[in-house]
Amino acid sequence: MPAPIRLRELIRTIRTARTQAEEREMIQKECAAIRSSFREEDNTYRCRNVAKLLYMHMLGYPAHFGQLECLKLIASQKFTDKRIGYLGAMLLLDERQDVHLLMTNCIKNDLNHSTQYVQGLALCTLGCMGSSEMCRDLAGEVEKLLKTSNSYLRKKAALCAVHVIRKVPELMEMFLPATKNLLNEKNHGVLHTSVVLLTEMCERSPDMLAHFRKVSLVPQLVRILKNLIMSGYSPEHDVSGISDPFLQVRILRLLRILGRNDDDSSEAMNDILAQVATNTETSKNVGNAILYETVLTIMDIKSESGLRVLAINILGRFLLNNDKNIRYVALTSLLKTVQTDHNAVQRHRSTIVDCLKDLDVSIKRRAMELSFALVNGNNVRGMMKELLYFLDSCEPEFKADCASGIFLAAEKYAPSKRWHIDTIMRVLTTAGSYVRDDAVPNLIQLITNSVEMHAYTVQRLYKAILGDYSQQPLVQVASWCIGEYGDLLVSGQCEEEEPIQVTEDEVLDILESVLISNMSASVTRGYALTAIMKLSTRFTCTVNRIKKVVSIYGSSIDVELQQRAVEYNALFKKYDHMRPALLERMPVMEKATTNGPTEIVQTNGETEPAALETKPPSTGLQPTSQANDLLDLLGGNDITPVIPTAPSSKPASAGGELLDLLGDLNLPGSPVSAPAPQISQPPFLLDGLSSQPLFNDIAAGIPSITAYSKNGLKIDFTFERSNTNPSVTVITIQASNSTELDMTDFVFQAAVPKTFQLQLLSPSSSVIPAFNSGTITQVIKVLNPQKQQLRMRIKLTYNHKGSAMQDLAEVNNFPPQSWQ
Amino acid sequence: MIKFFLMVNKQGQTRLSRYYEHVEIHKRTMLEAEVIKHCLSRSKDQCSFIEYKDFKLVYRQYAALFVVVGINETENEMAVYELIHNFVEVLDKYFSRVVSETFLLLNVGQELHG
């Protein structure tokens, strides 16, 4: 058989292949030749064949049949054979194949070989693919080699030890004694690998970390780093004028790990960090790489504030650099530090905002995230302008994130309601189709709550969808608003803007076209249909048209639309008397969580309003000092501090099969409202249903009582009972002030007996104006499962006539209908 | 931690690959193809770091050859960028000629050890 071709020949041949198919053919032919050669147990050319096999493996062709051959090569005595054999082992074998264990003995022998290069090969291979069994067997040998004086072997042994520790963490202690002298080497190779080994040990085990901190590793590292910086030009370690930057970066990283959360270590390294930061040359990329690592270290350890400011200034300088890589790196680090050093980062805000206009995608993304982190009450207008401009021009992959970020920031820092609505409108019109689905209910809630802006909002939304109704979230919000506030739209009253003349027919036209359009999603159609229905109570002349539209959809193919239409039809026919009440204007929705400056004063043992929705009631409550006050108040053992319950999301319903029908509807709004429990009812069909006073007052007129009247302060309780949940009583308190001076900082607290549960919602304000000219309202919900007689103790604190007043009282005159 | 080290030419042919983590062989070809696609689509004035899946790519172009290194978030990107250049310089010194694909190609065995 002719001698197998050399590797170079093979490569040349493959290069001549013009297509993938040709290449595959050549490789298959060669593979066949190699296989037959292996079968013949040919020793002389095995090395060559395995080399070719490895090349083919690198190109992506299977080469597993060469694994045993690699083992045979390793066992051979020739160095060239061993070299290819070990290489093959590293590339083709790993712990998933059973044959790899056969290597263990070979490696062991080679670790004790007389030639250092063979020992080096063995160490390399073990450090690359050694399995845990192999590592356990051979760890002792590695440790021995770690202590040898041969620096070539020492550095390889250190890297092998890193791998052993990763595979078998229990063996870490074994290498500990050897590490004592590792840093005393002059050879940079050994130093570098030793630092890697120490880093790995410190990262894996907190005990090791503590140990190294104690044996004053930090001063040693500082010394080495200092030598590196101060020493003159050394040709073997020089990279663009800096001496061994790779080692410097490694040492800085190890210092970072050692200094984290440790004051003493951090102090020991303050000087050297300052020195590196100021002395490193920044004209080349190498210098910047070292500065970057230094900045990361400074931010991570407990450094003094001067050093931190220096670090942020370095990052600021990076931002102005022309090199893209450096700007990217600077933006990434600023993002990490913006939480802790907010003010310092603010100084560079304008540069960051400029980066939004950069061409590079990664830089734009970083700049966007950082901009959102920097928005605050002062700069919100300017920042928003930039961000909206960015939203217009950015790539589609950013638009969703940008839109969500803008909504969040606008909610937190909006300077005025009109600005807020304008911003939302702008986002909806520019990136309407990228807005996330859960933004729609949030927006609707926001619009509902800004009562005075209703006319303005609906007008703008109407104008927006007149031209283009393809962006689903925009159309959904717009349909909902038109349905709610259509009467404002046609009456043409709008203070903020030039009112437009719209007739009822035009409004219905646009809603119908949304319904018909192919571009509308099924959800959007649902919105539109409901909006049309709501308009039947708000519009006067077009009710017949609405009836017609609704009855057409009674036979729609879409089940959702059909169900709605059928029920609305029923509303027209049989239940026409209920229609106005059902389709009444939505009340202002209560928000259980706040995202911004508005505070909810919870006075019953809980300080965080956000905890209301995240904590289940059982984990609720550690008595705060307020609750302790109440306990003092109450004295007796039968009364406990109140535990707030999560807001119940049951819409009240008056009886009737109509409402059962409606109650079964799976409204598209309701799954969305589940993750946002602050919306306590789906904002569509059950609009009127959820306004409890309407039904409950009709159903059960409970007399209101005066709970407290003293010193000019009068508190009235009005009651409502929920019919779906008879054990819930909703009490609305009204506090009024008949004296001639206002009462400020008014706080109402209440406690009930153990068998009850109480929930206090936020008060309307904390100031009671004088002369009965206004009141504070607050809602209390009482859960009374055992139907016991309602009793309550209340505590009032307020400031009046310049002095702080406080009073306790018990309320016993609850009417029987409120709790029976 | 460095995940892999690749040298790929503009046509997408792999000239050198070294993986430091286990990756299935057919996945490797897919990965290499995607990586080179990302690198080719970058223009000259964009930065050399690409975020790809859950790790980063640091790439550097030398004539018709791309050197790409995949790293995770613990690595200093700029130091790796320097490392790439250092490696290419070493190759250049060792083979004592201008670094071009052909020479890398023909000396694959020695480079894999390096």
Side-chain angles (χ1 to χ4, degrees), chain A residues 7-8 11-12 15 23 55 57-62 83 87 90-91 94 96 121 128 166 239 246 249-250 253 285-286 288-289 292-293 324-326 328-329 359-362 365-366, chain B residues 1 13-18 20 22 24-25 28-29 32 42 45-51 56 60 74-79 81-83 86 101-102 105-110 112-113:
Chain A
L7 176 59
R8 289 191 190 201
I11 296 177
R12 281 209 189 91
R15 277 197 90 195
E23 184 185 297
Y55 179 72
H57 173 81
M58 194 177 81
L59 288 181
Y61 298 94
R83 194 168 72 159
L87 181 62
M90 278 194 265
L91 293 180
D94 58 49
R96 286 178 191 75
L121 277 179
C128 186
R166 280 190 188 146
V239 177
F246 303 110
V249 165
R250 281 273 173 208
R253 198 173 304 160
N285 186 53
V286 203
N288 288 325
Y292 175 44
E293 194 70 34
K324 302 285 167 151
N325 295 339
I326 297 177
Y328 171 83
V329 147
L359 290 166
D360 183 301
V361 166
S362 324
R365 177 172 284 282
R366 288 274 178 270
Chain B
M1 199 186 115
Q13 295 171 310
T14 311
R15 297 305 184 202
L16 178 70
S17 79
R18 185 75 156 98
Y20 294 98
H22 180 76
E24 299 286 334
I25 195 160
R28 290 187 191 190
T29 28
E32 283 154 29
R42 308 278 281 184
D45 50 359
Q46 289 183 305
C47 76
S48 301
F49 313 128
I50 308 175
E51 270 146 46
K56 284 199 196 134
R60 221 166 156 158
T74 54
E75 283 288 334
N76 179 336
E77 297 95 337
M78 295 175 62
Y81 190 71
E82 276 306 309
L83 179 68
N86 203 358
E101 279 187 71
T102 349
L105 209 40
L106 297 176
N107 293 295
V108 151
Q110 290 169 302
L112 279 172
H113 251 291

Side-chain angles (χ1 to χ4, degrees), chain B residues 4-5 20-21 26 33 38 48 52 66 76 79 82 89 103:
Chain B
F4 56 82
F5 191 103
Y20 294 98
E21 271 185 341
H26 53 274
H38 277 273
S48 301
Y52 175 74
F66 279 93
N76 179 336
E82 276 306 309
E89 277 181 351
F103 285 94

Side-chain angles (χ1 to χ4, degrees), chain A residues 249-531:
Chain A
V249 165
R250 281 273 173 208
I251 293 183
L252 284 167
R253 198 173 304 160
L254 182 53
L255 286 176
R256 183 155 87 226
I257 297 175
L258 287 171
R260 201 177 278 160
N261 290 332
D262 186 57
D263 291 320
D264 296 325
S265 315
S266 307
E267 224 186 283
M269 49 178 100
N270 269 331
D271 288 336
I272 191 68
L273 288 174
Q275 205 174 3
V276 172
T278 40
N279 284 354
T280 314
E281 236 202 69
T282 56
S283 53
K284 294 270 179 65
N285 186 53
V286 203
N288 288 325
I290 297 181
L291 280 178
Y292 175 44
E293 194 70 34
T294 316
V295 165
L296 287 178
T297 304
I298 293 177
M299 301 320 288
D300 227 3
I301 64 173
K302 293 190 175 250
S303 49
E304 51 185 28
S305 59
L307 209 50
R308 292 185 98 93
V309 168
L310 179 62
I312 301 225
N313 287 343
I314 293 179
L315 289 178
R317 256 198 347 251
F318 276 2
L319 273 181
L320 298 167
N321 198 307
N322 283 331
D323 188 353
K324 302 285 167 151
N325 295 339
I326 297 177
R327 273 200 277 178
Y328 171 83
V329 147
L331 285 172
T332 317
S333 332
L334 281 173
L335 196 55
K336 284 190 217 153
T337 63
V338 75
Q339 303 301 329
T340 42
D341 293 86
H342 193 94
N343 293 331
V345 182
Q346 280 281 1
R347 246 176 271 140
H348 302 282
R349 190 164 48 85
S350 48
T351 333
I352 294 172
V353 168
D354 280 335
C355 288
L356 280 173
K357 306 193 183 83
D358 200 289
L359 290 166
D360 183 301
V361 166
S362 324
I363 291 187
K364 271 204 268 208
R365 177 172 284 282
R366 288 274 178 270
M368 179 180 82
E369 287 167 2
L370 203 46
S371 306
F372 281 128
L374 287 178
V375 175
N376 65 20
N378 297 331
N379 57 29
V380 66
R381 280 189 199 262
M383 292 290 275
M384 265 318 159
K385 213 161 58 161
E386 294 287 339
L387 286 166
L388 284 170
Y389 182 69
F390 174 68
L391 185 64
D392 279 337
S393 52
C394 70
E395 283 85 358
E397 64 222 27
F398 289 143
K399 290 206 182 191
D401 289 327
C402 193
S404 312
I406 291 182
F407 284 144
L408 266 170
E411 207 180 319
K412 270 200 218 178
Y413 301 111
S416 76
K417 289 243 162 102
R418 174 173 171 164
W419 180 90
H420 196 168
I421 303 249
D422 279 341
T423 314
I424 292 179
M425 289 290 312
R426 181 86 189 274
V427 175
L428 283 176
T429 42
T430 47
S433 32
Y434 297 100
V435 167
R436 293 219 171 88
D437 293 332
D438 56 354
V440 173
N442 286 339
L443 290 177
I444 290 179
Q445 184 184 16
L446 183 66
I447 294 175
T448 323
N449 288 343
S450 38
V451 176
E452 63 277 8
M453 304 293 301
H454 284 167
Y456 172 70
T457 316
V458 70
Q459 190 169 294
R460 286 208 59 185
L461 283 168
Y462 175 75
K463 279 199 273 196
I465 64 168
L466 255 188
D468 161 35
Y469 42 85
S470 62
Q471 305 194 78
Q472 299 304 301
L474 172 63
V475 176
Q476 287 170 8
V477 177
S479 326
W480 191 90
C481 286
I482 294 178
E484 269 296 300
Y485 311 119
D487 47 336
L488 292 175
L489 184 58
V490 287
S491 67
Q493 30 160 278
C494 175
E495 308 104 32
E496 305 274 345
E497 222 184 43
E498 190 70 33
I500 55 176
Q501 304 303 325
V502 184
T503 65
E504 297 181 2
D505 277 309
E506 285 171 352
V507 175
L508 286 173
D509 280 339
I510 192 82
L511 284 175
E512 273 189 57
S513 31
V514 169
L515 265 178
I516 299 173
S517 158
N518 287 334
M519 293 187 278
S520 303
S522 147
V523 172
T524 316
R525 292 213 179 97
Y527 272 85
L529 191 58
T530 309

Side-chain angles (χ1 to χ4, degrees), chain A residues 604-607 611-612 615-624 627 641-644:
Chain A
N604 41 7
E606 183 169 358
T607 45
L612 204 63
K615 285 194 212 164
S618 50
T619 63
L621 301 245
Q622 322 84 349
T624 61
V642 286
I643 301 171

Side-chain angles (χ1 to χ4, degrees), chain A residues 113-173:
Chain A
H113 205 272
S114 45
T115 320
Q116 64 173 8
Y117 298 111
V118 175
Q119 287 175 297
L121 277 179
L123 280 171
C124 244
T125 310
L126 182 60
C128 186
M129 47 71 67
S131 66
S132 1
E133 293 90 23
M134 286 170 74
C135 288
R136 251 184 260 266
D137 290 334
L138 299 169
E141 308 286 330
V142 176
E143 201 252 338
K144 213 169 52 180
L145 285 172
L146 201 51
K147 296 196 209 146
T148 163
S149 51
N150 182 335
S151 29
Y152 174 81
L153 286 179
R154 245 180 142 184
K155 73 179 182 218
K156 288 201 189 275
L159 283 181
C160 191
V162 171
H163 181 84
V164 169
I165 291 177
R166 280 190 188 146
K167 280 287 178 191
V168 191
E170 297 89 47
L171 292 174
M172 220 190 296
E173 272 94 39

